[in-house]
């Protein structure tokens, strides 16, 4: 189901010459074999709250914003944009300045206020190889796909590529591709602070550590994990709005991570094969996991790391 839409956007590399009247067949590139073609998009007038509801309903981390009349692409909104708005970054100024900290009023702002407009897009004629290059070079997790008429015809994500090519990663190990620089936090951290950590460091997930009286052990014990999607799901919960004592954003954002973090953890050892890791991602609908050795977090590995591994082939 696709809402139609329109915009000026940044083209990703050279999309090739415009077809002349020779009627050369408009053949799709390899990227369309793995892209999602039945794209769900939203109009720019949809509220931030409604956008979060659509994301959670379909378990999406991002949505294209399209013009209802023309079907052309206007922008792109991700869970990180919403986290930025909810206290993680500069978009929080909408709540503070325009609505004087009135959270319930601010979340009814149209999504056009926080969506990204300077877009990188793919052509439906592009290849998987080019897509991997664009994602890694720009550190983005998804790219909209448009045709020669600039109509939105698909979307491709890191997960689409990682899972489709997982079969080539039969011998590669997690320890060779994981990130050893792991941002962690504690159960008592407020949602606002966690949002800031995620937005400033472009993180989608943060392991939660602590729980031991011995500080040296507490710094290593993994208690849970919080993702950007977990925060959006919390802020989108019906009972949250029903139980608010005020309309203030501070009442919501001071919620401790211990109240919303995921405690049923999925972890992998450093020796896990990347092909098996991709199956774990697929089976559990997740995009990253902590890497644990001797009960200590030694790294984190995500879909983007899988793309880097594929890039080497």
């Amino acid at each position: 189901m696709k809402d139609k839409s329109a915009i000026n956007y940044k083209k990703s590399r050279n999309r090739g010459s415009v077809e002349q009247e020779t009627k050369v067949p408009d053949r799709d590139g390899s990227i369309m074999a793995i892209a999602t073609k039945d794209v769900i998009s939203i109009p720019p007038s949809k509220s931030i709250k409604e956008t979060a509801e659509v994301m959670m309903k379909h378990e999406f981390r991002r949505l294209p914003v399209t013009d209802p009349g023309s079907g052309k692409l206007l922008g792109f909104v991700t869970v990180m944009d919403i986290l930025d708005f909810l206290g993680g970054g500069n978009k929080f100024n909408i709540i503070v300045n325009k609505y004087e900290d009135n959270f319930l009023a601010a979340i009814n702002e149209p999504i056009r206020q926080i969506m990204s407009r300077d877009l990188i897009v793919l052509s439906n004629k592009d290849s998987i190889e080019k897509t991997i290059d664009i994602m890694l070079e720009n550190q983005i997790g998804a790219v909209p796909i448009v045709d020669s008429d600039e109509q939105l015809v698909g979307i491709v994500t890191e997960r689409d590529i990682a899972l489709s090519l997982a079969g080539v990663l039969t011998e590669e190990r997690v320890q060779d591709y994981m990130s050893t620089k792991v941002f962690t936090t504690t159960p008592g951290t407020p949602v606002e602070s966690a949002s800031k950590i995620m937005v400033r460091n472009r993180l989608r997930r943060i392991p939660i550590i602590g729980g031991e009286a011995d500080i040296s052990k507490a710094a290593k014990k993994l208690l849970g994990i919080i993702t950007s999607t977990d925060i959006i799901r919390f802020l989108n919960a019906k009972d949250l709005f029903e139980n608010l004592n005020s309309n203030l954003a501070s009442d919501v954002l001071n919620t401790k991570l211990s109240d919303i973090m995921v405690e049923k953890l999925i972890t992998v050892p450093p020796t896990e094969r990347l092909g098996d890791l991709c199956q774990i991602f697929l089976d559990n609908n997740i995009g990253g996991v902590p890497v644990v050795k001797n009960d200590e977090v030694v790294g984190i590995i995500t879909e983007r790391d899988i793309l880097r591994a594929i890039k080497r082939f």
Side-chain angles (χ1 to χ4, degrees):
M1 214 166 12
K2 190 194 300 183
D3 283 344
K4 300 292 184 180
S5 246
I7 191 185
N8 294 322
Y9 50 83
K10 184 192 298 180
K11 292 183 173 62
S12 58
R13 300 192 179 183
N14 181 10
R15 290 177 51 199
S17 60
V18 176
E19 287 190 28
Q20 304 302 314
E21 294 185 6
T22 51
K23 304 294 183 183
V24 176
D26 186 13
R27 295 178 180 174
D28 286 338
S30 59
I31 194 57
M32 294 304 290
I34 63 171
T36 297
K37 302 178 185 68
D38 187 14
V39 184
I40 295 175
S41 63
I42 57 172
S45 58
K46 190 172 285 290
S47 72
I48 295 170
K49 181 179 184 295
E50 290 171 329
T51 299
E53 289 171 352
V54 174
M55 285 180 169
M56 294 303 98
K57 177 181 178 180
H58 297 283
E59 298 186 342
F60 292 158
R61 292 199 301 244
R62 73 278 295 174
L63 285 168
V65 182
T66 54
D67 180 81
S70 66
K72 292 183 180 179
L73 192 62
L74 286 171
F76 208 52
V77 62
T78 69
V79 291
M80 298 305 289
D81 292 319
I82 297 180
L83 282 190
D84 190 318
F85 165 76
L86 291 168
N90 294 331
K91 294 175 184 179
F92 185 55
N93 290 331
I94 295 175
I95 297 180
V96 175
N97 298 330
K98 186 173 181 179
Y99 289 96
E100 297 180 344
D101 205 36
N102 188 321
F103 175 76
L104 294 183
I107 59 175
N108 286 304
E109 274 283 289
I111 199 64
R112 69 168 66 93
Q113 298 297 332
I114 67 168
M115 71 183 187
S116 299
R117 299 171 186 270
D118 188 16
L119 297 179
I120 295 172
V121 301
L122 288 167
S123 162
N124 61 310
K125 297 181 181 180
D126 283 332
S127 66
I128 292 174
E129 292 77 13
K130 178 177 177 180
T131 303
I132 293 173
D133 288 342
I134 288 173
M135 286 182 169
L136 292 178
E137 287 170 10
N138 295 280
Q139 298 186 56
I140 51 179
V143 190
I145 303 170
V146 297
D147 62 15
S148 57
D149 295 322
E150 299 183 353
Q151 297 288 310
L152 180 66
V153 295
I155 186 171
V156 64
T157 68
E158 289 174 324
R159 182 170 302 177
D160 294 329
I161 298 173
L163 298 186
S164 69
L165 298 179
V168 305
L169 304 173
T170 55
E171 299 301 326
E172 288 66 31
R173 305 286 176 168
V174 163
Q175 61 196 3
D176 297 322
Y177 296 94
M178 69 184 188
S179 173
T180 55
K181 182 180 180 181
V182 183
F183 289 82
T184 61
T185 192
T186 60
T189 301
V191 165
E192 181 179 7
S193 298
S195 297
K196 288 179 179 177
I197 294 172
M198 288 180 174
V199 171
R200 291 173 181 175
N201 297 285
R202 304 181 76 171
L203 303 172
R204 294 176 188 157
R205 56 195 58 81
I206 308 175
I208 311 295
I209 60 172
E212 293 282 354
D214 184 334
I215 295 178
S216 63
K217 292 181 180 179
K220 299 177 181 180
K221 185 174 181 180
L222 183 62
L223 301 179
I225 196 165
I226 189 77
T227 70
S228 54
T229 303
D230 294 327
I231 295 177
I232 301 302
R233 186 178 293 112
F234 158 69
L235 295 168
N236 193 49
K238 181 180 178 182
D239 58 353
L240 169 66
F241 298 103
E242 291 178 345
N243 296 324
L244 276 180
N245 294 320
S246 73
N247 292 339
L248 299 182
S250 55
D251 283 354
V252 178
L253 299 175
N254 284 333
T255 301
K256 300 294 187 289
L257 294 185
S258 55
D259 294 335
I260 65 172
M261 70 183 189
V262 175
E263 297 181 64
K264 188 178 179 181
L265 283 171
I266 297 172
T267 64
V268 296
T271 54
E272 188 82 38
R273 294 182 180 182
L274 291 190
D276 295 333
L277 174 69
C278 288
Q279 190 62 47
I280 292 172
F281 285 174
L282 177 61
D283 292 343
N284 296 278
N285 192 28
I286 55 177
V289 292
V291 183
V292 175
K293 182 178 182 181
N294 298 326
D295 295 325
E296 179 181 348
V297 179
V298 295
I300 194 161
I301 189 158
T302 69
E303 294 160 339
R304 187 162 299 168
D305 298 313
I306 302 298
L307 258 62
R308 293 192 181 99
I310 293 171
K311 173 71 175 171
R312 292 192 183 185
F313 285 83

